[in-house]
Amino acid sequence: MATNPTPEQAARYILEIIVKKFKASAGMNLMANNLTTLFSTGEWQSSDQIAGLEYAVQHGWITVRENIIILTDDGYAAA
């Protein structure tokens, strides 16, 4: 990215990966390392992923338990 992405942009990219790449629906689980592999392509930084995950959790789009990310109904709708 030419400029630093916002946490919201990173969170929406995370949702895009979960829904489009993994074809997940609400309630489905995803191993965090699978997300990290796809998120780290291009110019995204690990700090962007962390900020995006925090934003997504704060907005109820995902829940995170240890190494598992769970897509919520709101997260699926936001994607």
Side-chain angles (χ1 to χ4, degrees):
M1 311 209 103
T3 61
N4 291 338
T6 66
E8 181 180 3
Q9 288 170 321
R12 290 193 180 276
Y13 182 56
I14 288 168
L15 293 179
E16 180 180 324
I17 291 171
I18 293 171
V19 172
K20 293 184 179 175
K21 301 283 186 190
F22 290 102
K23 309 231 183 287
S25 58
M28 292 189 72
N29 298 340
L30 174 69
M31 296 298 294
N33 60 338
N34 292 334
L35 173 67
T36 300
T37 300
L38 289 175
F39 190 92
S40 62
T41 60
E43 296 182 27
W44 292 96
Q45 304 294 318
S46 62
S47 59
D48 300 327
Q49 181 180 355
I50 293 166
L53 286 169
E54 289 173 356
Y55 186 96
V57 167
Q58 290 169 355
H59 286 79
W61 295 347
I62 62 171
T63 56
V64 178
R65 293 192 186 117
E66 295 184 25
N67 262 350
I68 298 179
I69 298 168
I70 304 164
L71 183 65
T72 66
D73 290 331
D74 288 344
Y76 186 78

